[in-house]
Amino acid sequence: QVQLVESGGGSVQTGQSLRLSCTASGITVGSYCMAWFRQAPGKEREEVARIYVVGGTAYAMSVKGRFNASKDNFKNILYLQLNSLKPEDTAMYYCAAPPTQYCRGDDFAYWGQGTQVTVSS
């Protein structure tokens, strides 16, 4: 059974940083494409970062240059480093994995429960 558990969210001020973690069980993050999403109240869910099986990454334009996704294959954890945070980054952040190891479009079968990030000005 696949389980994804996010942690590391919190309340920070503009310009500060956070590191989110997604601890996986039932899959090996090192051999899976993984993604981070966020959803703010009243807004649609937005994919912010994707990290491919071979390690390449892709980011939403809104976070490019500020966020960095990485994996610790030994600990089986996916990370999202959030730097230079802005109030518009306030959202619930989720990690997700596809039904098989490779990402195919927006087909994500496994989701964590989310961790809240709140950025105040």
Side-chain angles (χ1 to χ4, degrees):
Q1 183 178 359
V2 177
Q3 189 172 19
L4 303 175
V5 179
E6 301 94 337
S7 61
S11 295
V12 297
Q13 293 187 326
T14 297
Q16 292 186 323
S17 299
L18 283 172
R19 189 176 76 162
L20 307 183
S21 300
C22 172
T23 301
S25 58
I27 60 170
T28 303
V29 298
S31 59
Y32 257 75
C33 176
M34 304 284 293
W36 285 97
F37 289 79
R38 68 184 180 186
Q39 188 166 23
K43 295 188 177 181
E44 291 189 358
R45 186 174 61 198
E46 174 190 24
E47 180 179 341
V48 296
R50 184 177 294 200
I51 183 165
Y52 296 94
V53 173
V54 295
T57 53
Y59 298 93
M61 287 301 297
S62 57
V63 307
K64 199 169 187 178
R66 300 188 298 120
F67 290 10
N68 183 64
S70 62
K71 298 177 182 177
D72 185 323
N73 296 338
F74 181 75
K75 294 181 179 179
N76 212 33
I77 296 176
L78 172 72
Y79 295 106
L80 185 67
Q81 179 68 40
L82 289 64
N83 298 321
S84 302
L85 282 161
K86 305 175 181 180
E88 52 264 42
D89 295 319
T90 295
M92 186 71 79
Y93 284 72
Y94 303 88
C95 61
T100 60
Q101 63 183 134
Y102 296 104
C103 284
R104 288 182 172 84
D106 296 331
D107 186 13
F108 289 91
Y110 307 111
W111 295 84
Q113 83 291 347
T115 186
Q116 177 68 37
V117 172
T118 302
V119 185
S120 59
S121 57

